[in-house]
Amino acid sequence: MKSIYLTIALAPLVGAIVAGLFGRKIGRAGAHSVTIAGVAISFLLSLVAFKHIVIDGNPAFNGAVYTWLVSDGLTLEIGFLIDRLTTLMMMVVTFVSLMVHIYTIGYMKDDPGYQRFFAYIALFTFSMLMLVMSNNFLQLFFGWEAVGLVSYLLIGFWFKRETAIYANLKAFLVNRVGDFGFLLGIAAIYMYFNSLDYVEVFAAAQGMSGVTIQLFPGVEWSLLTVIGILLFIGAMGKSAQVPLHVWLPDSMEGPTPISALIHAATMVTAGIFMVARMSPIYELTETALSFILVIGAVTALFMGLLGLVQNDIKRVIAYSTLSQLGYMTVALGASAYAGAIFHLMTHAFYKALLFLAAGSVIIAMHHRQDIREMGGLKKYMPITYWSSMIGTLALIGFPGFSGFFSKDAIIEAVKVSSLPGSGFAYLAVLLGVFVTALYSFRLFFIVFHGKERMDEETRSHLKESPGVVTWPLILLAIPALGIGALTVGPMLFGGYFGESIVVDAAHDTLAKLGEGYTGVMGFILHGMMSLPFWLALAGIGTAWYAYMVNPGFPAQVRERFQTVYRILANNYGIDDFNDRFFAGGSRKVGRLFWKAGDQAAIDGFMVNGTARGIGRLAVVMRYLQSGFLYHYAFAMIIGLLVLITVFVIF
């Protein structure tokens, strides 16, 4: 099996190298063929790994593939940990990536960077696989930084656009902030555990639960709390949690396929996966869990509110991703790690579906993305319409759809949690249900129903997207519809994850929910009688009234609550604050160093000052070199008298 695991990771890398280095020789067809083949191989072999580990019940694989360095007792190596958690992530990453690769053939067919794009997305898949398959913190960090690098390349893929360059630089810098905390967390693990291997660190974690350190003189902090928060700061960057969320909406500057890949299966899921993998550490620090819980709750509610005022079709979906990542983070904080990964899985399918459906609309609209220029697309694009319907219902957690099972489980888990902050988190995720339904169906009604608002030329060319675009939509719609019902029992209450996830009995919120679990239909019936279902219906009803029955109502609300609207439209002022305080402050500090350091000290004093000093000395020396013989004779006599005086006195 070791060779199979290695092939899973390397097949997309081979495709990326071939498409990237030899793209001109093999052409467009060759580039997409080799990268799709690489990802398809990874997906099929991931199914084999799933069968071997989960269905056949074989033990997890944990071993080194390559030892890079052994120094002073520290072993740095590339290694794989293939267990139930890993196999699930491998299948999700490779399947969604495969759909995105196929879809890209149609979406990017006229783009001059066709081969380069396929090389990048295949490299993205390889990077994420290396991250989720790692068995040590070194490889985790490699995958962590690799997905960040490739996301930078893909967000700025259309590098001739200033907005794209700004967006990828923003993503890069914001993630550097999170990664600094992440790296400090890994450094603390090595410093106190003397190992970077997962198994060794997790085994020793219990013994470290009483260790304290002083970050500030006289203030004791639990070591595991510090490590947990530092690692989570890294997750805040990758998984776009407040306040390190600001890069994700701007990532829409990249082509739509990469928006789907970033939001559904790669970059943003890395932080959620990492915290779940680190459950043996987090279960020993309630402070870190409460911190995660509150951050996730703030993100789930307040980022969802921003989706209400967006008019770019992709940005609405982007803010829904932020909100759903908040739900996953809340689940992690409530120790419902299985619920977070379950929601990660269901979200991957329906969010990829929604982004690719949005891309299909963008193709039909000749790359216009403003939903105010759309409307009535249902009759022109039936496959895209029904795909979007399934994705939207899954997103809002409508009973029976995949998102319903994972979202309701998270809400109920937070409800029974006793951690500090759980009350606020429960209120936030409840309100988030209404907000999610409202902005989701706002988008759906404006785009596919109502008055046709596009110009006549665009209307005359409206048609359904080609099969290479619509088939991935159909294939993604199937799990978006049914994967939740098929897997909710074993994944949440059946111990699917086994030893991959560790939960302390006092924190086990899912175990409490499992006591009342009576099957899929019982779960659905319970959900239909609970508050989240009625809040979702209220959100749908509000959207229907506001955008179908009384289209002038939103303008009236906007006029009446102008201040609130401006706050939301301005992203709570966070971007302005960052631009003025961090970016502007950095520029001012740089200007200060430039003026005081470069201009005054280096150029003024050292370089030009030296030149001026030599010039002044030369002026003095010029008088000594008069050319008259009696001047030189007089100088010699004076010098001789000085020397005689020195010798006589001393």
PDB file of all heavy atoms in Angstrom, residues 90-114:
ATOM      1  N   MET A  90      -8.722  12.687   1.433  1.00  0.00           N
ATOM      2  CA  MET A  90      -8.156  12.369   0.123  1.00  0.00           C
ATOM      3  C   MET A  90      -9.249  12.230  -0.928  1.00  0.00           C
ATOM      4  O   MET A  90      -9.125  12.741  -2.051  1.00  0.00           O
ATOM      5  CB  MET A  90      -7.331  11.082   0.208  1.00  0.00           C
ATOM      6  CG  MET A  90      -5.999  11.238   0.929  1.00  0.00           C
ATOM      7  SD  MET A  90      -5.330   9.683   1.575  1.00  0.00           S
ATOM      8  CE  MET A  90      -5.368   8.625   0.140  1.00  0.00           C
ATOM      9  N   MET A  91     -10.333  11.559  -0.591  1.00  0.00           N
ATOM     10  CA  MET A  91     -11.424  11.382  -1.554  1.00  0.00           C
ATOM     11  C   MET A  91     -12.092  12.709  -1.886  1.00  0.00           C
ATOM     12  O   MET A  91     -12.395  12.986  -3.052  1.00  0.00           O
ATOM     13  CB  MET A  91     -12.451  10.389  -1.007  1.00  0.00           C
ATOM     14  CG  MET A  91     -11.986   8.950  -0.994  1.00  0.00           C
ATOM     15  SD  MET A  91     -13.332   7.794  -0.688  1.00  0.00           S
ATOM     16  CE  MET A  91     -13.902   8.330   0.910  1.00  0.00           C
ATOM     17  N   VAL A  92     -12.332  13.524  -0.877  1.00  0.00           N
ATOM     18  CA  VAL A  92     -12.982  14.809  -1.115  1.00  0.00           C
ATOM     19  C   VAL A  92     -12.099  15.696  -1.986  1.00  0.00           C
ATOM     20  O   VAL A  92     -12.559  16.286  -2.983  1.00  0.00           O
ATOM     21  CB  VAL A  92     -13.297  15.514   0.220  1.00  0.00           C
ATOM     22  CG1 VAL A  92     -13.750  16.949  -0.012  1.00  0.00           C
ATOM     23  CG2 VAL A  92     -14.363  14.748   0.990  1.00  0.00           C
ATOM     24  N   VAL A  93     -10.820  15.802  -1.638  1.00  0.00           N
ATOM     25  CA  VAL A  93      -9.900  16.672  -2.373  1.00  0.00           C
ATOM     26  C   VAL A  93      -9.778  16.229  -3.826  1.00  0.00           C
ATOM     27  O   VAL A  93      -9.882  17.050  -4.758  1.00  0.00           O
ATOM     28  CB  VAL A  93      -8.520  16.698  -1.693  1.00  0.00           C
ATOM     29  CG1 VAL A  93      -7.494  17.395  -2.585  1.00  0.00           C
ATOM     30  CG2 VAL A  93      -8.598  17.383  -0.339  1.00  0.00           C
ATOM     31  N   THR A  94      -9.565  14.948  -4.051  1.00  0.00           N
ATOM     32  CA  THR A  94      -9.325  14.475  -5.413  1.00  0.00           C
ATOM     33  C   THR A  94     -10.589  14.498  -6.266  1.00  0.00           C
ATOM     34  O   THR A  94     -10.529  14.816  -7.459  1.00  0.00           O
ATOM     35  CB  THR A  94      -8.732  13.060  -5.400  1.00  0.00           C
ATOM     36  OG1 THR A  94      -9.567  12.184  -4.622  1.00  0.00           O
ATOM     37  CG2 THR A  94      -7.329  13.068  -4.797  1.00  0.00           C
ATOM     38  N   PHE A  95     -11.766  14.181  -5.677  1.00  0.00           N
ATOM     39  CA  PHE A  95     -12.996  14.185  -6.465  1.00  0.00           C
ATOM     40  C   PHE A  95     -13.364  15.602  -6.885  1.00  0.00           C
ATOM     41  O   PHE A  95     -13.651  15.859  -8.068  1.00  0.00           O
ATOM     42  CB  PHE A  95     -14.146  13.559  -5.679  1.00  0.00           C
ATOM     43  CG  PHE A  95     -15.465  13.615  -6.416  1.00  0.00           C
ATOM     44  CD1 PHE A  95     -15.703  12.782  -7.495  1.00  0.00           C
ATOM     45  CD2 PHE A  95     -16.451  14.510  -6.039  1.00  0.00           C
ATOM     46  CE1 PHE A  95     -16.900  12.833  -8.191  1.00  0.00           C
ATOM     47  CE2 PHE A  95     -17.656  14.574  -6.717  1.00  0.00           C
ATOM     48  CZ  PHE A  95     -17.883  13.736  -7.798  1.00  0.00           C
ATOM     49  N   VAL A  96     -13.371  16.536  -5.935  1.00  0.00           N
ATOM     50  CA  VAL A  96     -13.708  17.923  -6.277  1.00  0.00           C
ATOM     51  C   VAL A  96     -12.688  18.481  -7.258  1.00  0.00           C
ATOM     52  O   VAL A  96     -13.040  19.161  -8.229  1.00  0.00           O
ATOM     53  CB  VAL A  96     -13.794  18.787  -5.008  1.00  0.00           C
ATOM     54  CG1 VAL A  96     -13.973  20.261  -5.370  1.00  0.00           C
ATOM     55  CG2 VAL A  96     -14.940  18.324  -4.119  1.00  0.00           C
ATOM     56  N   SER A  97     -11.417  18.186  -7.038  1.00  0.00           N
ATOM     57  CA  SER A  97     -10.380  18.661  -7.953  1.00  0.00           C
ATOM     58  C   SER A  97     -10.572  18.088  -9.352  1.00  0.00           C
ATOM     59  O   SER A  97     -10.391  18.795 -10.353  1.00  0.00           O
ATOM     60  CB  SER A  97      -8.999  18.287  -7.418  1.00  0.00           C
ATOM     61  OG  SER A  97      -7.980  18.719  -8.292  1.00  0.00           O
ATOM     62  N   LEU A  98     -10.954  16.827  -9.442  1.00  0.00           N
ATOM     63  CA  LEU A  98     -11.194  16.210 -10.749  1.00  0.00           C
ATOM     64  C   LEU A  98     -12.332  16.915 -11.476  1.00  0.00           C
ATOM     65  O   LEU A  98     -12.241  17.193 -12.680  1.00  0.00           O
ATOM     66  CB  LEU A  98     -11.509  14.722 -10.569  1.00  0.00           C
ATOM     67  CG  LEU A  98     -11.796  13.916 -11.840  1.00  0.00           C
ATOM     68  CD1 LEU A  98     -10.609  13.967 -12.796  1.00  0.00           C
ATOM     69  CD2 LEU A  98     -12.138  12.468 -11.486  1.00  0.00           C
ATOM     70  N   MET A  99     -13.401  17.212 -10.755  1.00  0.00           N
ATOM     71  CA  MET A  99     -14.527  17.919 -11.374  1.00  0.00           C
ATOM     72  C   MET A  99     -14.092  19.312 -11.847  1.00  0.00           C
ATOM     73  O   MET A  99     -14.493  19.764 -12.932  1.00  0.00           O
ATOM     74  CB  MET A  99     -15.685  18.053 -10.377  1.00  0.00           C
ATOM     75  CG  MET A  99     -16.319  16.730  -9.963  1.00  0.00           C
ATOM     76  SD  MET A  99     -17.016  15.796 -11.348  1.00  0.00           S
ATOM     77  CE  MET A  99     -15.730  14.554 -11.613  1.00  0.00           C
ATOM     78  N   VAL A 100     -13.284  19.987 -11.048  1.00  0.00           N
ATOM     79  CA  VAL A 100     -12.811  21.320 -11.410  1.00  0.00           C
ATOM     80  C   VAL A 100     -11.904  21.243 -12.639  1.00  0.00           C
ATOM     81  O   VAL A 100     -11.981  22.093 -13.542  1.00  0.00           O
ATOM     82  CB  VAL A 100     -12.079  21.979 -10.229  1.00  0.00           C
ATOM     83  CG1 VAL A 100     -11.369  23.263 -10.660  1.00  0.00           C
ATOM     84  CG2 VAL A 100     -13.065  22.281  -9.103  1.00  0.00           C
ATOM     85  N   HIS A 101     -11.059  20.232 -12.706  1.00  0.00           N
ATOM     86  CA  HIS A 101     -10.177  20.069 -13.869  1.00  0.00           C
ATOM     87  C   HIS A 101     -10.994  19.892 -15.148  1.00  0.00           C
ATOM     88  O   HIS A 101     -10.704  20.524 -16.175  1.00  0.00           O
ATOM     89  CB  HIS A 101      -9.265  18.857 -13.673  1.00  0.00           C
ATOM     90  CG  HIS A 101      -8.015  19.140 -12.900  1.00  0.00           C
ATOM     91  ND1 HIS A 101      -8.025  19.423 -11.554  1.00  0.00           N
ATOM     92  CD2 HIS A 101      -6.713  19.180 -13.278  1.00  0.00           C
ATOM     93  CE1 HIS A 101      -6.782  19.620 -11.136  1.00  0.00           C
ATOM     94  NE2 HIS A 101      -5.969  19.490 -12.169  1.00  0.00           N
ATOM     95  N   ILE A 102     -11.992  19.035 -15.094  1.00  0.00           N
ATOM     96  CA  ILE A 102     -12.817  18.799 -16.286  1.00  0.00           C
ATOM     97  C   ILE A 102     -13.569  20.070 -16.672  1.00  0.00           C
ATOM     98  O   ILE A 102     -13.612  20.459 -17.846  1.00  0.00           O
ATOM     99  CB  ILE A 102     -13.797  17.635 -16.032  1.00  0.00           C
ATOM    100  CG1 ILE A 102     -13.016  16.329 -15.806  1.00  0.00           C
ATOM    101  CG2 ILE A 102     -14.769  17.474 -17.194  1.00  0.00           C
ATOM    102  CD1 ILE A 102     -13.873  15.173 -15.332  1.00  0.00           C
ATOM    103  N   TYR A 103     -14.142  20.727 -15.693  1.00  0.00           N
ATOM    104  CA  TYR A 103     -14.894  21.967 -15.913  1.00  0.00           C
ATOM    105  C   TYR A 103     -14.014  23.043 -16.547  1.00  0.00           C
ATOM    106  O   TYR A 103     -14.471  23.835 -17.388  1.00  0.00           O
ATOM    107  CB  TYR A 103     -15.439  22.426 -14.562  1.00  0.00           C
ATOM    108  CG  TYR A 103     -16.174  23.741 -14.539  1.00  0.00           C
ATOM    109  CD1 TYR A 103     -17.556  23.780 -14.665  1.00  0.00           C
ATOM    110  CD2 TYR A 103     -15.497  24.943 -14.343  1.00  0.00           C
ATOM    111  CE1 TYR A 103     -18.249  24.984 -14.611  1.00  0.00           C
ATOM    112  CE2 TYR A 103     -16.179  26.146 -14.284  1.00  0.00           C
ATOM    113  CZ  TYR A 103     -17.548  26.161 -14.414  1.00  0.00           C
ATOM    114  OH  TYR A 103     -18.221  27.353 -14.351  1.00  0.00           O
ATOM    115  N   THR A 104     -12.745  23.074 -16.160  1.00  0.00           N
ATOM    116  CA  THR A 104     -11.825  24.102 -16.635  1.00  0.00           C
ATOM    117  C   THR A 104     -11.631  24.040 -18.141  1.00  0.00           C
ATOM    118  O   THR A 104     -11.362  25.070 -18.778  1.00  0.00           O
ATOM    119  CB  THR A 104     -10.468  23.968 -15.908  1.00  0.00           C
ATOM    120  OG1 THR A 104     -10.677  24.119 -14.499  1.00  0.00           O
ATOM    121  CG2 THR A 104      -9.484  25.015 -16.369  1.00  0.00           C
ATOM    122  N   ILE A 105     -11.763  22.872 -18.738  1.00  0.00           N
ATOM    123  CA  ILE A 105     -11.618  22.746 -20.197  1.00  0.00           C
ATOM    124  C   ILE A 105     -12.583  23.691 -20.903  1.00  0.00           C
ATOM    125  O   ILE A 105     -12.226  24.361 -21.877  1.00  0.00           O
ATOM    126  CB  ILE A 105     -11.877  21.291 -20.643  1.00  0.00           C
ATOM    127  CG1 ILE A 105     -10.827  20.354 -20.035  1.00  0.00           C
ATOM    128  CG2 ILE A 105     -11.863  21.185 -22.166  1.00  0.00           C
ATOM    129  CD1 ILE A 105     -11.110  18.887 -20.311  1.00  0.00           C
ATOM    130  N   GLY A 106     -13.817  23.751 -20.407  1.00  0.00           N
ATOM    131  CA  GLY A 106     -14.802  24.635 -21.018  1.00  0.00           C
ATOM    132  C   GLY A 106     -14.659  26.079 -20.593  1.00  0.00           C
ATOM    133  O   GLY A 106     -14.793  26.994 -21.410  1.00  0.00           O
ATOM    134  N   TYR A 107     -14.361  26.300 -19.308  1.00  0.00           N
ATOM    135  CA  TYR A 107     -14.337  27.675 -18.797  1.00  0.00           C
ATOM    136  C   TYR A 107     -13.141  28.464 -19.321  1.00  0.00           C
ATOM    137  O   TYR A 107     -13.248  29.651 -19.603  1.00  0.00           O
ATOM    138  CB  TYR A 107     -14.319  27.659 -17.270  1.00  0.00           C
ATOM    139  CG  TYR A 107     -14.590  29.010 -16.657  1.00  0.00           C
ATOM    140  CD1 TYR A 107     -15.889  29.417 -16.398  1.00  0.00           C
ATOM    141  CD2 TYR A 107     -13.555  29.899 -16.364  1.00  0.00           C
ATOM    142  CE1 TYR A 107     -16.162  30.667 -15.857  1.00  0.00           C
ATOM    143  CE2 TYR A 107     -13.811  31.145 -15.822  1.00  0.00           C
ATOM    144  CZ  TYR A 107     -15.112  31.518 -15.566  1.00  0.00           C
ATOM    145  OH  TYR A 107     -15.370  32.763 -15.037  1.00  0.00           O
ATOM    146  N   MET A 108     -11.989  27.816 -19.446  1.00  0.00           N
ATOM    147  CA  MET A 108     -10.757  28.513 -19.817  1.00  0.00           C
ATOM    148  C   MET A 108     -10.352  28.273 -21.270  1.00  0.00           C
ATOM    149  O   MET A 108      -9.203  28.509 -21.640  1.00  0.00           O
ATOM    150  CB  MET A 108      -9.623  28.061 -18.886  1.00  0.00           C
ATOM    151  CG  MET A 108      -9.860  28.302 -17.421  1.00  0.00           C
ATOM    152  SD  MET A 108      -9.799  30.041 -16.962  1.00  0.00           S
ATOM    153  CE  MET A 108      -8.048  30.358 -17.087  1.00  0.00           C
ATOM    154  N   LYS A 109     -11.276  27.819 -22.108  1.00  0.00           N
ATOM    155  CA  LYS A 109     -10.910  27.372 -23.459  1.00  0.00           C
ATOM    156  C   LYS A 109     -10.262  28.471 -24.308  1.00  0.00           C
ATOM    157  O   LYS A 109      -9.441  28.177 -25.182  1.00  0.00           O
ATOM    158  CB  LYS A 109     -12.137  26.817 -24.169  1.00  0.00           C
ATOM    159  CG  LYS A 109     -13.243  27.827 -24.428  1.00  0.00           C
ATOM    160  CD  LYS A 109     -14.403  27.198 -25.172  1.00  0.00           C
ATOM    161  CE  LYS A 109     -15.506  28.230 -25.455  1.00  0.00           C
ATOM    162  NZ  LYS A 109     -16.617  27.631 -26.212  1.00  0.00           N
ATOM    163  N   ASP A 110     -10.607  29.716 -24.071  1.00  0.00           N
ATOM    164  CA  ASP A 110     -10.052  30.799 -24.886  1.00  0.00           C
ATOM    165  C   ASP A 110      -8.947  31.570 -24.175  1.00  0.00           C
ATOM    166  O   ASP A 110      -8.465  32.584 -24.700  1.00  0.00           O
ATOM    167  CB  ASP A 110     -11.173  31.777 -25.278  1.00  0.00           C
ATOM    168  CG  ASP A 110     -12.244  31.115 -26.129  1.00  0.00           C
ATOM    169  OD1 ASP A 110     -11.884  30.272 -26.976  1.00  0.00           O
ATOM    170  OD2 ASP A 110     -13.442  31.427 -25.934  1.00  0.00           O
ATOM    171  N   ASP A 111      -8.545  31.114 -23.006  1.00  0.00           N
ATOM    172  CA  ASP A 111      -7.547  31.855 -22.241  1.00  0.00           C
ATOM    173  C   ASP A 111      -6.142  31.530 -22.733  1.00  0.00           C
ATOM    174  O   ASP A 111      -5.799  30.355 -22.924  1.00  0.00           O
ATOM    175  CB  ASP A 111      -7.662  31.503 -20.748  1.00  0.00           C
ATOM    176  CG  ASP A 111      -6.941  32.507 -19.880  1.00  0.00           C
ATOM    177  OD1 ASP A 111      -5.702  32.443 -19.815  1.00  0.00           O
ATOM    178  OD2 ASP A 111      -7.609  33.356 -19.269  1.00  0.00           O
ATOM    179  N   PRO A 112      -5.299  32.534 -22.940  1.00  0.00           N
ATOM    180  CA  PRO A 112      -3.929  32.268 -23.417  1.00  0.00           C
ATOM    181  C   PRO A 112      -3.055  31.526 -22.411  1.00  0.00           C
ATOM    182  O   PRO A 112      -2.042  30.936 -22.789  1.00  0.00           O
ATOM    183  CB  PRO A 112      -3.379  33.675 -23.697  1.00  0.00           C
ATOM    184  CG  PRO A 112      -4.230  34.601 -22.884  1.00  0.00           C
ATOM    185  CD  PRO A 112      -5.586  33.972 -22.840  1.00  0.00           C
ATOM    186  N   GLY A 113      -3.443  31.553 -21.128  1.00  0.00           N
ATOM    187  CA  GLY A 113      -2.653  30.854 -20.106  1.00  0.00           C
ATOM    188  C   GLY A 113      -3.189  29.481 -19.768  1.00  0.00           C
ATOM    189  O   GLY A 113      -3.020  29.002 -18.636  1.00  0.00           O
ATOM    190  N   TYR A 114      -3.836  28.846 -20.732  1.00  0.00           N
ATOM    191  CA  TYR A 114      -4.530  27.563 -20.528  1.00  0.00           C
ATOM    192  C   TYR A 114      -3.631  26.513 -19.884  1.00  0.00           C
ATOM    193  O   TYR A 114      -3.959  25.926 -18.850  1.00  0.00           O
ATOM    194  CB  TYR A 114      -5.030  27.088 -21.887  1.00  0.00           C
ATOM    195  CG  TYR A 114      -5.958  25.898 -21.884  1.00  0.00           C
ATOM    196  CD1 TYR A 114      -7.328  26.062 -21.721  1.00  0.00           C
ATOM    197  CD2 TYR A 114      -5.471  24.611 -22.084  1.00  0.00           C
ATOM    198  CE1 TYR A 114      -8.192  24.977 -21.753  1.00  0.00           C
ATOM    199  CE2 TYR A 114      -6.318  23.524 -22.114  1.00  0.00           C
ATOM    200  CZ  TYR A 114      -7.682  23.707 -21.950  1.00  0.00           C
ATOM    201  OH  TYR A 114      -8.531  22.630 -21.978  1.00  0.00           O
TER     202      TYR A 114
END
